[in-house]
Amino acid sequence: TAKRNGKNRVCFYDDSLSSMPIDRLRMETELCKAIATEQLVLYYQPRLELASGKIICLEALVRWNHPVQGIIPPAEFIPLAEETGLIVELGNWVLRSACEQKKRWQEAGIIGAQIAVNISPVQFQDLSFADNVKQIIEQSELVPDFLELEITESSIMHDMDKTVAILERLSAIGISISIDDFGIGYSSLNYLKHFPIQCLKIDRSFVKNIHNDQSDLAITHAIINLGHSLNLQIVAEGVEEVSQLEILKETKCTTIQGYLLSPPISADELEALFLSDRLVC
Ligand code: C2E
Ligand code: MG
Ligand code: MG
Ligand code: MG
């Protein structure tokens, strides 16, 4: 690289290495600004209830609409937000924004589905997490039962007693809790009997091959049966093919999400689908 940079320049490091911390720092600063200046945007992915054919929930998924780079997916900035603590502010923005959207839909009388918001383990561990959630809902003047919080097993494992207390506070005001990416965590199943949860979301990695892998099918089926025994809603994530859908119907899965139905889309696009009756709730 030294040569490429011209003969008078001395370059000891590979560009890609030396520029890494600077990029990180720049990105951190930019992300901080992005939260404040409304560069973040929520997309929504519908969750279909198989028995009724209705959309019962919309999962809010954040994107960063970067002025130069365009739409950046969450995998490229959520980890940084978690490392720097920005996730608390980002997470509050997501909650506020989902509430505002719900309010608009409610006032327009168009979309009655619940809204699911992803909660990072770092955000969940924050001491004021439950207070923040309550406060944001209060400010929105919405009845809290429209809201579902998707947490992962890693949120739960730190301090069981504390986690139960937080979840019970939230469910006491009508918020639902689902376990996202179920089946890929390292936790025991013990928590399922102590926690006020309503829904298991089967991780996409199991659903992916249910139509041609016996083990994935067996695991998915077992999770569905477990969910029924515990009286929970079961969501299959990442359903892309009709053959997967058929199996999920046979195995009595209750709800699905995935590209087969719709990828995450903007609020406007979603509204158009409901208004044209292509989706119903
Ligand atoms: P997740 O909560 O498990 O969300 C599902 C991810 O799978 C989404 O990716 C979605 O676009 C993708 N997906 C849905 N259907 C299909 C499908 O049929 N095939 C495939 N291949 N993928 C599908 P996305 O939006 O890029 O989000 C990735 C992850 O980022 C989420 O996983 C979640 O963990 C995190 N995330 C997204 N938004 C937020 C947020 O507001 N807050 C927090 N803390 N995390 C978020
Ligand atoms: Mg999720
Ligand atoms: Mg998931
Ligand atoms: Mg995930």
Side-chain angles (χ1 to χ4, degrees), residues 98-167:
C99 286
E100 283 164 14
Q101 185 59 68
K102 175 67 189 177
K103 185 125 198 180
R104 280 194 291 274
W105 280 331
Q106 201 171 74
E107 283 168 358
I110 42 175
I111 299 172
Q114 278 196 306
I115 297 193
V117 169
N118 289 283
I119 303 297
S120 148
V122 180
Q123 186 186 357
F124 190 85
Q125 294 311 313
D126 186 73
L127 289 174
S128 39
F129 172 68
D131 289 329
N132 283 342
V133 175
K134 283 186 84 165
Q135 202 194 341
I136 289 167
I137 296 183
E138 270 165 30
Q139 278 165 357
S140 75
E141 298 176 330
L142 289 160
V143 182
D145 61 6
F146 78 93
L147 185 64
E148 176 180 300
L149 301 180
E150 296 192 0
I151 61 176
T152 55
E153 291 176 318
S154 45
S155 283
I156 293 170
M157 293 335 294
H158 294 271
D159 179 344
M160 284 277 229
D161 293 342
K162 206 181 104 191
T163 305
V164 173
I166 294 171
L167 294 182

Side-chain angles (χ1 to χ4, degrees), residues 59 118 150 180-181 201 203-204 237:
E59 179 175 4
N118 289 283
E150 296 192 0
D180 202 356
D181 307 336
K201 301 191 73 175
D203 191 68
R204 201 168 74 213
E237 299 193 274

Side-chain angles (χ1 to χ4, degrees), residues 36-270:
T37 59
E38 302 283 313
Q39 284 177 25
L40 299 182
V41 59
L42 291 185
Y43 276 32
Y44 296 88
Q45 186 179 39
R47 181 191 300 172
L48 176 76
E49 184 176 57
L50 294 172
S52 63
K54 290 182 174 167
I55 304 304
I56 58 167
C57 187
L58 301 164
E59 179 175 4
L61 293 153
V62 71
R63 275 92 182 89
W64 178 359
N65 193 358
H66 191 280
V68 180
Q69 286 166 257
I71 297 278
I72 305 177
E76 287 177 37
F77 62 90
I78 294 281
L80 179 70
E82 289 176 332
E83 284 161 35
T84 57
L86 272 175
I87 192 70
V88 172
E89 211 182 318
L90 189 154
N92 286 338
W93 180 89
V94 169
L95 277 164
R96 265 198 307 275
S97 185
C99 286
E100 283 164 14
Q101 185 59 68
K102 175 67 189 177
K103 185 125 198 180
R104 280 194 291 274
W105 280 331
Q106 201 171 74
E107 283 168 358
I110 42 175
I111 299 172
Q114 278 196 306
I115 297 193
V117 169
N118 289 283
I119 303 297
S120 148
V122 180
Q123 186 186 357
F124 190 85
Q125 294 311 313
D126 186 73
L127 289 174
S128 39
F129 172 68
D131 289 329
N132 283 342
V133 175
K134 283 186 84 165
Q135 202 194 341
I136 289 167
I137 296 183
E138 270 165 30
Q139 278 165 357
S140 75
E141 298 176 330
L142 289 160
V143 182
D145 61 6
F146 78 93
L147 185 64
E148 176 180 300
L149 301 180
E150 296 192 0
I151 61 176
T152 55
E153 291 176 318
S154 45
S155 283
I156 293 170
M157 293 335 294
H158 294 271
D159 179 344
M160 284 277 229
D161 293 342
K162 206 181 104 191
T163 305
V164 173
I166 294 171
L167 294 182
E168 276 175 352
R169 260 189 82 191
L170 295 170
S171 63
I173 59 169
I175 296 173
S176 322
I177 309 292
S178 61
I179 307 297
D180 202 356
D181 307 336
F182 185 77
I184 61 164
Y186 291 96
S187 55
S188 70
L189 295 175
N190 187 37
Y191 71 89
L192 290 173
K193 65 180 184 193
H194 298 297
F195 286 20
I197 57 173
Q198 284 72 41
C199 171
L200 297 179
K201 301 191 73 175
I202 308 170
D203 191 68
R204 201 168 74 213
S205 59
F206 299 118
V207 176
K208 195 170 191 279
N209 295 314
I210 41 171
H211 51 321
N212 52 31
D213 183 305
Q214 282 306 312
S215 306
D216 285 328
L217 175 61
I219 293 167
T220 301
H221 202 169
I223 298 174
I224 292 169
N225 287 338
L226 175 67
H228 282 299
S229 312
L230 295 170
N231 212 1
L232 304 173
Q233 180 190 136
I234 311 121
V235 187
E237 299 193 274
V239 179
E240 297 182 357
E241 319 220 3
V242 175
S243 54
Q244 295 166 331
L245 174 64
E246 292 309 324
I247 292 169
L248 291 162
K249 281 181 179 164
E250 277 166 33
T251 49
K252 304 275 186 289
C253 188
T254 60
T255 61
I256 61 150
Q257 265 181 255
Y259 295 167
L260 179 66
L261 178 68
S262 168
I265 50 179
S266 72
D268 286 348
E269 287 174 282
L270 193 75

